[in-house]
Amino acid sequence: MKTVILHAILLSVPTLAFAQAPDDAPGEASQIIVTGAGLDLPPGTPAYGSVVIDRQRLLDSASGRIESVLADVAGFQQFRRSDSRSSNPSNQGATLRALGGNASSRTLVLLDGVPIADPFFGYIPFSALVPERLSVVRVTRGGGIGAFGAGAVAGTIELASATRAQLPDFSASAFYGSRDSTEVSAGLTQDLGGGYVSLSARWDRGDGFQTTPKDQRVAATVPAAYDGWSTNLRAVAPISATSELQFRATLFEDNRTLRFAGADSMSQGQDASIRYINRGAWQVDALAYIQARNFSNIVISSSTFRKSLDQRNTPSTGIGGKIEIRPPVGPDHVLRLGVDTRFATGDMYEDAFNANIAANPRTFLRHAGGDQWTTGVFAEDDWTPEGLGGKLVLTGGVRGDRWSIRNGFYQEVNATTSAATSGAFADRSDWELSGRVGALYRASNAVALRAAAYSGFRLPTLNELYRPFVVFPIRTEANAALRPEKLKGVEAGIDLTPLAGVTLSATAFYNRLDDAIANVTDPLIANLRKRQNVDRIVAKGVELTAAAALGDIRLSASYAYSHSTVRAPGAAFNGFTPAQSPRHAASATVAYSPASGPSLSTTLRYVAKQYEDDLQSDILPDALTLDAVARLPIGHGVSLVARGENLFDETVVTRNAGGSMDLGTPRTLWIGVSFGG
């Protein structure tokens, strides 16, 4: 299976460049600058507000996992509170602003400009996103428009690869942790011609912790063991003094066992991409990518502890690309024109078994799948009016998308009689128009005001359309008739810089997600849910962020208050809070990082209670956790590193279905060494 990603990035990265002019005297115009990054951010970007996570914070993760770092941004959430070691991969959707959880991503996640969500499920392969491979992460809450903007109804998370200046020639680390856990990684980066090549790999495994509460364990209960690896090859080569070619290939595999012996899941991918960047008068950002993914999962009966379902094969392929052009239209404008396309296809093969009979015979064979295609054109302009000294920036953009859902089918064959039932679903297609406008006014060096309004849409994933699933005792049915979700939102904010190195921001928002896709409980059968479009979810609230660099001390904090309500006239859950949506979330990090000597980083996080289901019958209590990382340099580029997760050993409930619970990561301690990082 092969997945190829092509990267283009709309992130701003620090000006850390590898410069080389092999055949020219210093100062000549033909000097070649190779960065491995994308084009600069347009000047109107701050109008939409964002939170930036820098490289040092990425390296100071106690868990070593990107989803934990993303939790620094209050309001970021996955479908479950578990990380990518102890959650089913299909639960790893990303969303923002408490718009409700349904396991698919409502947030567009880009790696060097390439959408990385699974083509079939829509989940994010977090275990393949190693923090030390990244330069910076930018999280923008609210609808997005630019390249691949379809799908960014809750916001956009942009990840940028580390630049050459941030990558040592050689780096390595090895850690040993609680419950016989190990984590080993290495990276090799070498200059090649006028560019560079970087190869990295990571492997981690562990016996895992008991996700099942002690009073619910049985003989078949086992810890959440995990074993995964990923490799990444990135090459950057200059073409001219203003242009370069970037290539990436990523391979990964992730194996996990959850709750019961034999309840094994596997996800894997092979991604590749190629990207062309031109920073000349006519700036160009063009990319193409391909992704090949697969997923398998075995469901074990919680009453007989025999296999009840084998989701044995879910191959999927994603192909896409974009071309963005920024023509020279004068010093007051940055105009972006582009086109992008995404194609996704996938199949689900699963076998059902009779878990009530000792022989555990196979009962049904099921096959389902379909195709999706989205092609959009976009235009966006950032205008900095002349004569105002750059104080005012106005920005606006529009997208037009043609989408289609095709070749959908579902087939079930009786394993005993060979009798088959099958159905083909009607092809669908339509146009969607979305846009956004924003304004940024810098009243002074210390005060900036901003406001924005936007709209957007998200297609239901192939998983939501065609794949039912079971998490005992709940069965959730697919729905091939799901309509796209559509978002409208407004926000206003203020950014303050009262002192050098100190920033404070506040944003008030109102978002409305029409035709929101939710897992709706059947009014007659308590343990049956079906994916349905509900009238709307309304989310309004306030987001606060703060950051300070005071000598060797760095502080950052984030808080989100989100009042979310489901509007579904006539339904039992009308007026309720969407599932998996906490009202309060907060995170604070304090780090002491001198130029030399020991360093320490601590992170405190709080998540308020939330509900497992649409009827608010099952509560996930609030949780407060503390993480820490300490580094002690011992010479020659080698450091001794200690990491601690959930040092309070807080009980974090990640699932509650009628009292049947799963738990999140308990106190976990790590000790290891790193070189060159």
Side-chain angles (χ1 to χ4, degrees):
M1 223 187 211
K2 294 202 170 163
T3 296
V4 180
I5 298 177
L6 167 78
H7 296 54
I9 207 164
L10 302 178
L11 293 173
S12 70
V13 294
T15 313
L16 296 168
F18 171 62
Q20 189 170 3
D23 302 314
D24 302 305
E28 290 192 7
S30 59
Q31 184 185 44
I32 294 177
I33 306 295
V34 175
T35 69
L39 298 178
D40 291 338
L41 279 172
T45 301
Y48 300 107
S50 60
V51 178
V52 176
I53 303 172
D54 63 23
R55 180 166 172 79
Q56 187 58 52
R57 177 68 189 106
L58 291 166
L59 296 176
D60 283 341
S61 167
S63 68
R65 313 190 85 79
I66 189 64
E67 64 271 26
S68 298
V69 182
L70 289 173
D72 283 4
V73 181
F76 167 82
Q77 64 181 109
Q78 302 178 78
F79 181 58
R80 303 262 181 231
R81 293 174 172 180
S82 310
D83 66 21
S84 58
R85 294 166 294 190
S86 58
S87 173
N88 190 287
S90 63
N91 289 334
Q92 294 176 182
T95 193
L96 295 160
R97 287 193 168 163
L99 285 172
N102 66 349
S104 296
S105 292
R106 288 193 167 109
T107 300
L108 175 65
V109 182
L110 302 171
L111 174 59
D112 293 340
V114 175
I116 60 173
D118 184 87
F120 186 90
F121 291 91
Y123 70 78
I124 309 302
F126 286 117
S127 60
L129 302 174
V130 181
E132 56 260 34
R133 296 175 187 163
L134 301 176
S135 168
V136 68
V137 175
R138 178 181 297 273
V139 180
T140 303
R141 294 170 283 203
I145 292 301
F148 302 115
V153 293
T156 305
I157 298 174
E158 301 167 283
L159 301 92
S161 291
T163 62
R164 177 62 181 100
Q166 294 170 321
L167 294 170
D169 291 348
F170 177 74
S171 63
S173 65
F175 289 89
Y176 181 78
S178 303
R179 298 171 290 278
D180 198 26
S181 303
T182 56
E183 177 192 303
V184 181
S185 64
L188 178 67
T189 303
Q190 295 294 308
D191 300 335
L192 183 64
Y196 62 91
V197 175
S198 182
L199 177 65
S200 61
R202 180 160 118 168
W203 170 62
D204 55 4
R205 61 153 305 280
D207 291 345
F209 60 92
Q210 287 282 2
T211 60
T212 308
K214 191 171 184 178
D215 60 354
Q216 296 182 10
R217 296 173 196 168
V218 296
T221 303
V222 296
Y226 64 96
D227 191 335
W229 59 267
S230 69
T231 62
N232 186 75
L233 173 67
R234 190 162 190 260
V236 180
I239 297 176
S240 69
T242 60
S243 63
E244 65 188 46
L245 199 63
Q246 304 171 8
F247 171 80
R248 175 189 296 279
T250 302
L251 285 76
F252 65 89
E253 183 171 306
D254 191 344
N255 297 277
R256 309 178 198 177
T257 299
L258 301 177
R259 198 174 178 90
F260 298 121
D264 302 327
S265 68
M266 182 279 299
S267 60
Q268 63 178 197
Q270 302 87 38
D271 298 1
S273 64
I274 190 166
R275 167 180 163 210
Y276 170 76
I277 295 290
N278 190 332
R279 298 182 177 86
W282 283 75
Q283 297 186 13
V284 179
D285 189 346
L287 66 88
Y289 70 88
I290 182 171
Q291 302 165 325
R293 306 281 178 83
N294 201 358
F295 171 81
S296 64
N297 183 57
I298 295 176
V299 179
I300 299 296
S301 166
S302 62
S303 57
T304 65
F305 312 111
R306 302 187 186 102
K307 181 164 56 178
S308 61
L309 189 67
D310 184 358
Q311 297 165 326
R312 54 187 172 83
N313 199 20
T314 316
S316 63
T317 302
I319 301 173
K322 78 156 189 178
I323 298 176
E324 177 184 327
I325 298 174
R326 300 184 186 181
V329 291
D332 298 342
H333 292 267
V334 175
L335 177 63
R336 301 166 57 203
L337 304 172
V339 59
D340 59 70
T341 187
R342 281 189 283 178
F343 173 73
T345 183
D347 295 81
M348 173 207 75
Y349 298 88
E350 69 176 26
D351 298 342
F353 293 80
N354 188 338
N356 296 317
I357 298 177
N360 203 194
R362 185 168 59 179
T363 55
F364 293 97
L365 291 77
R366 300 173 183 138
H367 182 202
D371 304 332
Q372 287 183 335
W373 202 308
T374 304
T375 299
V377 294
F378 63 92
E380 193 155 13
D381 183 56
D382 292 19
W383 177 34
T384 307
E386 188 179 2
L388 297 179
K391 289 187 175 181
L392 177 65
V393 182
L394 301 175
T395 178
V398 64
R399 269 190 73 95
D401 285 279
R402 177 67 174 178
W403 62 263
S404 64
I405 298 173
R406 303 181 303 184
N407 303 322
F409 69 94
Y410 182 85
Q411 181 183 65
E412 183 176 86
V413 177
N414 188 304
T416 303
T417 66
S418 297
T421 58
S422 62
F425 305 109
D427 294 348
R428 293 183 283 155
S429 62
D430 204 349
W431 285 91
E432 293 290 344
L433 185 68
S434 50
R436 68 178 181 179
V437 293
L440 173 70
Y441 178 68
R442 297 183 177 92
S444 68
N445 291 334
V447 179
L449 305 174
R450 51 185 165 79
Y454 37 77
S455 63
F457 81 102
R458 180 186 76 90
L459 282 184
T461 63
L462 297 173
N463 175 58
E464 292 169 315
L465 292 166
Y466 306 125
R467 174 185 170 264
F469 69 95
V470 177
V471 179
F472 184 84
I474 306 298
R475 176 177 173 83
T476 302
E477 298 285 354
N479 183 355
L482 289 172
R483 300 181 299 277
E485 299 179 330
K486 299 180 182 180
L487 177 92
K488 295 180 179 67
V490 294
E491 63 184 65
I494 183 171
D495 302 321
L496 304 176
T497 310
L499 300 170
V502 178
T503 59
L504 305 170
S505 297
T507 303
F509 67 90
Y510 176 93
N511 284 184
R512 191 183 82 185
L513 187 66
D514 294 326
D515 287 328
I517 298 171
N519 297 333
V520 177
T521 301
D522 189 288
L524 301 178
I525 306 174
N527 289 339
L528 179 63
R529 296 176 188 161
K530 185 174 182 178
R531 297 186 180 98
Q532 292 184 9
N533 292 103
V534 301
D535 187 55
R536 68 186 56 169
I537 292 174
V538 175
K540 52 190 175 182
V542 176
E543 297 157 345
L544 306 176
T545 61
L550 307 172
D552 295 333
I553 298 176
R554 295 181 296 112
L555 303 96
S556 63
S558 179
Y559 166 75
Y561 168 77
S562 305
H563 187 280
S564 299
T565 306
V566 179
R567 304 286 173 82
F573 51 86
N574 182 44
F576 285 9
T577 300
Q580 310 293 337
S581 300
R583 184 156 293 186
H584 303 274
S587 175
T589 297
V590 179
Y592 172 69
S593 304
S596 60
S599 64
L600 175 67
S601 175
T602 60
T603 299
L604 188 68
R605 293 195 182 95
Y606 173 76
V607 179
K609 75 172 183 179
Q610 59 196 61
Y611 297 101
E612 173 75 24
D613 62 327
D614 56 326
L615 298 179
Q616 296 188 175
S617 57
D618 296 317
I619 295 177
L620 307 178
D622 61 350
L624 179 70
T625 59
L626 176 68
D627 294 347
V629 177
R631 298 179 184 273
L632 176 63
I634 56 179
H636 304 288
V638 178
S639 295
L640 183 66
V641 183
R643 308 186 327 211
E645 305 176 56
N646 192 7
L647 292 174
F648 293 156
D649 202 22
E650 177 87 341
T651 298
V652 181
V653 179
T654 63
R655 184 187 67 88
N656 179 9
S660 174
M661 294 184 180
D662 286 339
L663 306 177
T665 306
R667 182 188 295 118
T668 302
L669 304 178
W670 298 85
I671 188 71
V673 294
S674 68
F675 172 77

